[in-house]
Amino acid sequence: WLLVCLLLKLFSAVEVQRPRGVPLSKRQFYEEGKPFTCLDGSRTIPFDRVNDDYCDCQDGSDEPGTAACPNGSFHCTNAGFRPTFIPSSRINDGICDCCDTTDEYNSGATCQNTCRELGRKERESLQKMAEIAKEGFLLKQQLIHEANRGLEDKKAKLGDVQGSKKDLEAKVEALRTVKEAAEQPEREAKERHLKAWEGKLSFKSISPSTVCNDVSVPELLSHSELDPDADGSFTEAEAQGLLGGVDKVDTAAFESIWSNVKEKYMSEVRHYTSFFFLINSKFHVKFILFNFGFGICFRNLEKEISFDFGPSSEFAYLYSQCYELTTSEYIYRLCPFNRVTQKPKFGGSETNLGSWGKWAGPEDSIYSVMKYEHGTGCWQGPSRSTTVKLTCGKETVVTSTSEPSRCEYLMEFTCPAICQEPPNLEISSHEHQEL
């Protein structure tokens, strides 16, 4: 904006007499008729030796309008445009460096004064930039408003999620109680059956050799788990069926029918075990899925709420968005606060140019630069990284990419969130111009 303030210069100005090549800011050091002291204080010389085409001062300050001193500088007034300095070696070299042609006063070069035209073009350009900044800043205010509203929504959603967590935990606890209540009768029945069977058959190794006496129908009836149809009523007929149609059998006969009884008994044990495992598994899976889903939702909300999206959260709208730029060879993709990638335009694998690192602008403008780090490593080189420079614009778009150094990328990115409030420029059409 300092440049803007230098525009629209006054065309009717007062010329201040001073030696050629001296800016108005140093006019007081060059008083005609008085001895001249070199600006570095090294020596004092008569004033008539200023601009005499011989270098007397070590800093070259006695020859502001000639090429005598190798380290001297010449001031171009450039009325109507921006004043500037050029090296003294360019004075009278036949090339017009100053738009007001003052550097070629004795070379015979044909130069045209283009300062007014250059000033007009620059004023138009800066005026457009000012309009863009103004519109961008208005958009920024909208973004801030939307970000604040979104932040409140996310906080409310986070509260809902926390409330849902408590409700679901209560339901899980209730289901666990039901599970334990369902397990209890089965557990008691199993223990009862095992105790009843003890003394005749071993749970781990059952064979006819473990049977001390005959096996009878009443004995089998004490083990309801052997009920063939599992209808809750283990009848004598069913028990006789297991013993081959008789009321009791001896050891030898029992050996021939034991495989059927053993399979039935062991299948019941497996049924209990599977039943308990199934209940535990269902509850375990439900609990894992619940915690997994809740954890993701909770962490995402917390991250968005606590993330540094700028002083007023103006950059929040970039979150979860991606922007692409296609060049002759590659497709570059910027996903703010996530990562930057590069992919060959005509097919090939994607390369990670860096993951979100930090805001990396200067202290007075830290949000003007993004840094993405720890990308895919270069062959025998460092990991790739990308610096993203933000500039003010009405649209959000990647404007250019380059690789200034090996494996270090530079990306230009315009967006309204970086726009600053433009100053109230009341530039008069009659502003003093240094001559």
Side-chain angles (χ1 to χ4, degrees):
W1 296 111
L2 292 176
L3 293 177
V4 176
C5 296
L6 295 174
L7 302 176
L8 300 174
K9 305 299 184 180
L10 174 67
F11 300 147
S12 57
V14 177
E15 182 176 0
V16 178
Q17 295 297 326
R18 58 192 185 278
R20 189 190 304 274
V22 175
L24 184 60
S25 60
K26 295 182 180 179
R27 164 69 179 80
Q28 69 271 24
F29 302 115
Y30 297 84
E31 293 188 38
E32 190 171 359
K34 294 183 179 180
F36 173 75
T37 300
C38 301
L39 298 185
D40 63 0
S42 59
R43 62 185 299 190
T44 299
I45 60 175
F47 190 80
D48 59 7
R49 291 168 65 175
V50 173
N51 280 341
D52 66 348
D53 207 20
Y54 182 86
C55 192
D56 297 289
C57 299
Q58 293 181 359
D59 63 357
S61 58
D62 64 310
E63 297 297 319
T66 75
C69 298
N71 58 340
S73 61
F74 179 85
H75 180 258
C76 303
T77 301
N78 293 345
F81 190 45
R82 287 181 286 106
T84 189
F85 286 91
I86 63 171
S88 294
S89 59
R90 297 182 183 179
I91 298 173
N92 292 322
D93 63 351
I95 299 175
C96 302
D97 297 291
C98 302
C99 66
D100 62 1
T101 75
T102 53
D103 60 312
E104 299 301 317
Y105 61 89
N106 196 32
S107 68
T110 303
C111 300
Q112 292 184 349
N113 190 322
T114 59
C115 290
R116 308 274 174 134
E117 180 63 18
L118 291 174
R120 182 187 66 79
K121 290 181 178 179
E122 186 171 75
R123 287 193 296 274
E124 290 178 355
S125 176
L126 293 177
Q127 184 61 36
K128 288 181 180 179
M129 290 175 59
E131 292 173 359
I132 291 174
K134 182 178 180 180
E135 293 183 36
F137 185 73
L138 292 177
L139 289 173
K140 178 180 179 178
Q141 302 310 303
Q142 296 178 17
L143 293 173
I144 291 174
H145 176 72
E146 293 173 3
N148 290 334
R149 185 174 59 187
L151 180 62
E152 293 302 318
D153 291 343
K154 289 181 177 64
K155 288 181 178 179
K157 187 175 181 180
L158 182 61
D160 292 341
V161 169
Q162 291 173 323
S164 298
K165 178 178 182 292
K166 293 180 180 179
D167 292 342
L168 289 174
E169 284 178 338
K171 291 180 180 179
V172 168
E173 185 59 33
L175 289 172
R176 184 180 289 110
T177 301
V178 172
K179 163 186 169 272
E180 292 175 353
E183 285 179 341
Q184 187 62 27
E186 301 290 347
R187 188 183 300 109
E188 292 176 352
K190 179 182 177 182
E191 292 175 354
R192 185 171 60 252
H193 296 154
L194 289 175
K195 288 180 179 179
W197 197 257
E198 286 177 357
K200 284 201 172 184
L201 299 175
S202 170
F203 175 80
K204 292 184 179 179
S205 178
I206 301 175
S207 69
S209 63
T210 64
V211 181
C212 300
N213 301 310
D214 295 338
V215 179
S216 64
V217 168
E219 187 175 24
L220 290 183
L221 288 176
S222 67
H223 298 280
S224 60
E225 72 275 12
L226 300 177
D227 183 6
D229 55 14
D231 61 356
S233 175
F234 191 19
T235 65
E236 291 186 8
E238 290 172 330
Q240 287 179 340
L242 289 176
L243 294 177
V246 296
D247 292 334
K248 65 179 180 177
V249 295
D250 58 18
T251 301
F254 184 73
E255 182 176 1
S256 64
I257 63 174
W258 169 240
S259 58
N260 292 333
V261 176
K262 178 180 179 181
E263 178 59 31
K264 177 63 179 176
Y265 182 78
M266 296 306 294
S267 68
E268 289 298 322
V269 173
R270 285 195 296 271
H271 169 73
Y272 294 139
T273 305
S274 298
F275 177 73
F276 299 143
F277 177 76
L278 179 62
I279 292 177
N280 282 322
S281 295
K282 286 183 177 180
F283 277 85
H284 185 61
V285 170
K286 285 182 180 180
F287 192 72
I288 289 176
L289 291 176
F290 161 71
N291 279 297
F292 180 74
F294 169 79
I296 292 177
C297 181
F298 187 83
R299 286 192 296 272
N300 286 344
L301 285 173
E302 276 198 325
K303 180 180 179 181
E304 288 191 55
I305 291 172
S306 61
F307 202 89
D308 183 5
F309 289 122
S312 302
S313 299
E314 58 267 38
F315 296 98
Y317 81 103
L318 299 175
Y319 190 75
S320 298
Q321 301 297 317
C322 293
Y323 305 90
E324 291 186 351
L325 174 67
T326 301
T327 65
S328 58
E329 296 183 74
Y330 298 101
I331 298 174
Y332 293 90
R333 185 177 177 87
L334 168 64
C335 300
F337 312 113
N338 187 0
R339 64 176 188 156
V340 181
T341 60
Q342 175 196 64
K343 187 175 182 180
K345 186 176 180 180
F346 301 104
S349 60
E350 187 176 76
T351 301
N352 184 1
L353 302 185
S355 299
W356 169 253
K358 60 185 177 181
W359 293 106
E363 185 176 351
D364 61 343
S365 184
I366 191 171
Y367 297 101
S368 63
V369 178
M370 292 176 167
K371 188 68 175 179
Y372 294 80
E373 305 167 314
H374 310 301
T376 304
C378 288
W379 172 251
Q380 295 184 340
S383 297
R384 289 174 172 84
S385 63
T386 302
T387 298
V388 180
K389 291 187 177 180
L390 282 67
T391 56
C392 175
K394 295 184 293 184
E395 298 179 351
T396 303
V397 61
V398 178
T399 58
S400 69
T401 59
S402 60
E403 189 178 1
S405 301
R406 182 170 180 255
C407 305
E408 295 181 0
Y409 297 81
L410 175 63
M411 185 173 283
E412 300 285 346
F413 184 57
T414 65
C415 66
I418 194 65
C419 294
Q420 302 300 315
E421 184 175 12
N424 293 323
L425 299 178
E426 297 180 358
I427 304 176
S428 171
S429 61
H430 297 287
E431 183 177 326
H432 177 72
Q433 167 67 42
E434 179 182 278
L435 290 176

